[in-house]
Amino acid sequence: MFSLLKNSLYLRFWLGQVISQLGDGITRIGITYLVATLSKDPLLIGLVIFAQLLPTAVFGIFLGPLADQWNRRWLMVSADLYRMAMVIAMIFFYDSVPALIILTAFHGIGTALFDPARTSSIPDLAGESNLSEAISLSQSTKAAMDIIGPSLGALLLMSKQYSIIFLIDAATFAGSALLLFTLFSIGKVHAYSPEDKKTYLSFITSGIKEITGMPSLRFLLLQLLPITLVVGILNTNLVAVLTTTFHVSAFHFSLIESSMAIGVIIGATWFGPYLMKRLKANALLISGTAVIGIWMALILHLDWIREETGIGAIYIWCTLIGVFNALINVPLSTLFLQVTPPAFS
């Protein structure tokens, strides 16, 4: 997997991912903690988390096909510079919750443009023969940044110099844009004629029709809606409880987020695959939803346990939330791969 980094082009491509996702992790934890402490309102905390996820869900279907229509290198560079501008704007509004939520949503539009272009560029640099290794390296890097980013954010939040957090993230986007600009072999420029526009629109409409026309996939998507809703509510309330009920410091809040990421890695690489060998995917998905719901309900007794044993109880509880996430994510991913045609996988 790491032999790909001997290729200087792929090394620059990978370093762009490292520094960009590192800055993202630092800023994400900073914005979430800022909104939580400034507002102490679970609704606003939910809105900032919603703003982080909404643009990809809403605009991803429209921005994704651009990676096949326009030069991917310029798309990624433009998306990085756009996100850099959004982060710089946060410096001037870090004490305004509404402004932070709005800027977070606009920032997400840049991510919705960047991610498809980056993913579709991997075969250009790694080659089809090394595609699985390149994907593994990309996913491993993201998992590592999900741990390292919040951990560094914990140290920065202790200083309460929030403008520094946003400046660091802006610098990472600038660095990523510079590295990607040097990759001239990515994505040839396409002439954007009226025929291209027709192809672009028909690609979107045909994709929606084909996906919604498959009964098994349609049923899985409908089943996913209540699960996603419940898990989203639980995660939002978790942030509110940590900051307003347990009154964890900025340092511990960031490290607790990192511990959850560690739990996700443990669950995805060992716990989930182990259970998948012994249970059907649909049975594990239903059981996993129940298990994580029961585990989240134990928060009612967590404050008493914390008083008796210390803050370590919160770390253990949150780490296991990450582990138990595998009981949902692993079977869900398996089911999607089973029912989705290869062209859409």
Side-chain angles (χ1 to χ4, degrees):
M1 181 173 66
F2 290 101
S3 62
L4 286 168
L5 301 182
K6 296 178 181 179
N7 181 333
S8 61
L9 290 176
Y10 198 87
L11 177 61
R12 277 176 273 163
F13 183 74
W14 177 76
L15 286 175
Q17 177 188 2
V18 170
I19 61 175
S20 177
Q21 291 181 347
L22 179 65
D24 269 346
I26 294 173
T27 301
R28 185 175 62 253
I29 203 70
I31 292 175
T32 304
Y33 186 79
L34 269 174
V35 171
T37 53
L38 286 172
S39 67
K40 295 181 172 57
D41 186 345
L43 176 61
L44 292 177
I45 296 171
L47 282 177
V48 75
I49 296 175
F50 183 68
Q52 292 171 352
L53 303 175
L54 178 66
T56 301
V58 173
F59 296 104
I61 191 172
F62 301 105
L63 298 179
L66 293 179
D68 295 322
Q69 299 288 322
W70 291 355
N71 186 293
R72 293 191 294 274
R73 178 170 67 98
W74 282 113
L75 282 176
M76 290 187 288
V77 170
S78 300
D80 270 341
L81 295 177
Y82 167 81
R83 291 186 290 178
M84 181 186 71
M86 293 299 102
V87 173
I88 290 175
M90 292 178 186
I91 297 174
F92 304 99
F93 298 100
Y94 70 83
D95 57 348
S96 171
V97 171
L100 284 175
I101 293 174
I102 293 171
L103 289 171
T104 297
F106 279 112
H107 177 279
I109 295 175
T111 301
L113 176 63
F114 181 90
D115 285 346
R118 185 191 180 281
T119 301
S120 59
S121 297
I122 291 178
D124 290 351
L125 295 171
E128 293 294 336
S129 60
N130 298 316
L131 189 57
S132 61
E133 290 83 358
I135 292 174
S136 297
L137 179 60
S138 177
Q139 292 177 344
S140 300
T141 300
K142 185 181 185 306
M145 293 305 104
D146 284 343
I147 297 172
I148 298 172
S151 299
L152 291 177
L155 299 175
L156 295 170
L157 283 172
M158 289 178 64
S159 68
K160 298 188 182 299
Q161 298 295 321
Y162 302 115
S163 58
I164 295 178
I165 295 176
F166 297 125
L167 280 174
I168 290 175
D169 193 19
T172 62
F173 282 124
S176 174
L178 181 61
L179 286 167
L180 293 171
F181 177 77
T182 65
L183 303 179
F184 299 102
S185 61
I186 292 181
K188 303 298 182 182
V189 177
H190 296 270
Y192 204 63
S193 62
E195 289 77 11
D196 292 322
K197 292 182 180 180
K198 182 179 179 180
T199 302
Y200 166 74
L201 293 175
S202 63
F203 179 83
I204 295 175
T205 54
S206 64
I208 294 174
K209 289 180 180 178
E210 185 161 350
I211 289 174
T212 56
M214 292 183 285
S216 57
L217 184 57
R218 186 170 62 244
F219 175 78
L220 187 58
L221 290 171
L222 290 174
Q223 187 182 36
L224 179 62
L225 287 176
I227 296 175
T228 303
L229 178 63
V230 171
V231 172
I233 292 172
L234 293 175
N235 288 334
T236 300
N237 285 327
L238 176 59
V239 175
V241 168
L242 289 174
T243 54
T244 62
T245 301
F246 296 153
H247 301 289
V248 299
S249 65
F251 177 77
H252 284 296
F253 178 76
S254 300
L255 291 184
I256 287 170
E257 290 284 322
S258 296
S259 72
M260 291 180 64
I262 293 172
V264 170
I265 295 173
I266 294 172
T269 57
W270 181 79
F271 196 49
Y274 174 82
L275 291 175
M276 279 295 297
K277 294 178 181 179
R278 288 156 176 79
L279 296 172
K280 292 183 178 179
N282 56 348
L284 182 58
L285 177 60
I286 295 172
S287 302
T289 305
V291 167
I292 199 168
I294 293 171
W295 187 254
M296 292 291 283
L298 294 178
I299 198 172
L300 296 173
H301 305 285
L302 187 58
D303 196 28
W304 173 80
I305 297 173
R306 178 181 65 92
E307 292 178 355
E308 296 294 324
T309 62
I311 198 170
I314 297 178
Y315 277 91
I316 295 173
W317 185 75
C318 288
T319 301
L320 287 175
I321 287 178
V323 174
F324 292 152
N325 267 325
L327 299 179
I328 296 177
N329 295 333
V330 172
L332 195 59
S333 299
T334 302
L335 287 170
F336 267 115
L337 289 173
Q338 290 174 347
V339 303
T340 304
F344 291 90
S345 297

